[in-house]
Amino acid sequence: MTTQKHYTGLIERYRDRLPVSATTRIISLNEGRTPLIQLQNIPRMIGKDVEIYVKFEGLNPTGSFKDRGMTMAVTKAVEDGSEAIICASTGNTSAAAAAYAARAGIKAFVLIPEGKIALGKLAQTLMYNATIIQINGNFDKGMALVKEVANHAPVTIVNSINPFRIEGQKTAAFEIVDELGFAPDYHCLPVGNAGNITAYWKGYNEYATDRVCGNRPVMCGYQAAGAAPFVAGMMIDNPETVATAIRIGHPQSWDFAWAAQKESGGWFDKFSDEQILAAQKMLSQYEGVFCEPASAASLAGALQDIISGKIPEGSKIVCTLTGNGIKDPEIAMQQCADAKPVTIDASLDAVKRAILDCL
Ligand SMILES: *Cc1c(COP(=O)(O)O)cnc(C)c1O
């Protein structure tokens, strides 16, 4: 006889730390419980004695951490009687909103910047049958429009300004502590709209306050150089980066993210698109973990700060890999443009030669 209960998602697992009641209808796709993978080859390659773990959020149901917030936001929207949700998105929020709306049987409207979202994210959102509204403006413009239109139409905003999104997303910090038995010394993550750094810091604080863990991590937020308002210390107007998920100049969780940085003794830094893409490829090639470009900013940052000694040897570090690399096949193909597949005769001899040539 088995005593293990079928896993039914993060609200069920952490229901006593989330705003649901016994009668709440939970909208879930069994998100959460993502693997925490310890890197084996990269620490050796950089010659540093550190434990680096990656929290692979790309293995959530729609392929990004946005599912954590969306299960909670859509559950509460439905509980409050809402029949439609809306969001502005750089891609992953729209995919998650569309999927959870489909699950709940309500409508989803998503505003996306035309031509600036990864192909996989667009395909998913279409398949989940959301109404896609493309705007000839960036995420920040879309966000402003969503906030306005919600005053004029019966739609619930499910961007991370919706506090239930943060509630759902904080469970990633719980999972890390539950698995390791402690909080890491450093938590590194990409920062765009800054909801996620806000959520992790909230989760770690709740666990530390309740003595589930004795420590809290230093929070390190990494941005793309062309979209780095936290590094600039001010909002910026025309963010640009190949890492479209963090192509944001006016982060909505501005004050919360600064609080996380200050209270944890952490920092923000920025990386060029080349550095971010190099980290994405490194992680794929040397560890077998394929994340999307934005996610790799966390590893680019961690590696730089480990190599410089800012993160000292002996540290335990968690990097959040926010989304799955498969979402952005165009970038992946560009990354591997030199690795042309060979075409040969369909004969044993030719295949044998192709193999022996490479060994
Ligand atoms: C949304 C997203 C981010 C940025 O998270 P914020 O909470 O907006 O800071 C980073 N990476 C990926 C893949 C995302 O989808």
Side-chain angles (χ1 to χ4, degrees):
M1 201 183 94
T2 174
T3 52
Q4 190 129 26
K5 195 168 164 283
H6 169 56
Y7 180 80
T8 53
L10 61 84
I11 296 181
E12 217 37 271
R13 177 161 177 202
Y14 293 109
R15 72 161 38 242
D16 46 350
R17 292 182 175 278
L18 293 169
V20 288
S21 75
T23 57
T24 306
R25 174 186 162 211
I26 291 166
I27 312 299
S28 172
L29 291 163
N30 299 9
E31 58 296 309
R33 206 173 60 166
T34 54
L36 188 63
I37 305 165
Q38 185 171 3
L39 300 189
Q40 295 179 336
N41 300 316
I42 291 174
R44 202 173 53 234
M45 288 163 61
I46 61 171
K48 293 285 186 179
D49 177 23
V50 286
E51 284 178 28
I52 309 176
Y53 300 85
V54 293
K55 180 74 168 156
F56 194 15
E57 291 288 277
L59 295 180
N60 274 299
T62 79
S64 87
F65 77 85
K66 299 298 199 304
D67 294 343
R68 289 183 188 275
M70 209 53 76
T71 182
M72 198 63 244
V74 174
T75 291
K76 294 305 282 187
V78 168
E79 184 169 65
D80 295 344
S82 179
E83 284 168 16
I85 57 174
I86 190 166
C87 64
S89 177
T90 57
N92 282 330
T93 300
S94 63
Y100 285 82
R103 185 79 162 167
I106 62 174
K107 240 187 132 28
F109 297 96
V110 307
L111 264 74
I112 57 173
E114 187 183 12
K116 294 290 183 180
I117 91 165
L119 190 62
K121 302 176 190 180
L122 189 58
Q124 287 178 283
T125 307
L126 288 164
M127 285 298 286
Y128 298 133
N129 202 30
T131 301
I132 298 181
I133 303 166
Q134 301 203 73
I135 58 166
N136 52 6
N138 62 24
F139 169 86
D140 300 310
K141 182 73 196 164
M143 191 66 243
L145 285 166
V146 161
K147 286 203 259 185
E148 272 185 66
V149 82
N151 294 325
H152 300 278
V155 288
T156 302
I157 301 178
V158 293
N159 282 103
S160 54
I161 56 168
N162 178 327
F164 299 123
R165 280 276 309 277
I166 305 295
E167 289 300 305
Q169 285 170 212
K170 76 183 180 186
T171 61
F174 297 163
E175 288 180 12
I176 290 166
V177 174
D178 288 345
E179 193 155 339
L180 294 177
F182 49 81
D185 301 309
Y186 295 85
H187 191 112
C188 304
L189 75 174
V191 173
N193 215 18
N196 215 24
I197 191 170
T198 301
Y200 272 97
W201 186 236
K202 187 164 198 285
Y204 284 125
N205 271 306
E206 287 183 16
Y207 258 21
T209 302
D210 294 344
R211 311 297 307 164
V212 182
C213 54
N215 64 314
R216 300 179 302 175
V218 171
M219 301 297 293
C220 308
Y222 301 118
Q223 303 207 278
F230 286 103
V231 181
M234 58 180 186
M235 307 274 187
I236 62 159
D237 275 341
N238 293 301
E240 211 41 87
T241 171
V242 70
T244 49
I246 50 173
R247 186 173 168 270
I248 294 174
H250 288 246
Q252 297 295 311
S253 295
W254 181 256
D255 294 339
F256 290 127
W258 282 113
Q261 176 266 319
K262 291 200 180 82
E263 291 165 22
S264 75
W267 56 83
F268 294 108
D269 206 345
K270 62 179 180 182
F271 295 88
S272 68
D273 284 356
E274 291 69 32
Q275 289 172 300
I276 288 170
L277 292 175
Q280 184 201 23
K281 196 161 183 187
M282 186 181 193
L283 195 54
S284 302
Q285 285 191 331
Y286 298 114
E287 300 285 354
V289 178
F290 182 26
C291 67
E292 65 174 282
S295 311
S298 64
L299 183 70
L303 292 181
Q304 175 197 270
D305 291 338
I306 290 165
I307 290 166
S308 76
K310 195 171 180 181
I311 294 178
E313 289 203 68
S315 295
K316 296 178 170 68
I317 303 134
V318 171
C319 295
T320 300
L321 300 180
T322 44
N324 197 308
I326 297 171
K327 283 173 172 274
D328 203 339
E330 289 167 320
I331 294 292
M333 293 308 285
Q334 284 168 30
Q335 285 261 57
C336 302
D338 294 339
K340 289 264 184 305
V342 291
T343 304
I344 56 164
D345 277 347
S347 71
L348 176 60
D349 220 36
V351 175
K352 202 171 78 186
R353 222 177 313 119
I355 291 170
L356 293 176
D357 279 353
C358 290
L359 289 175

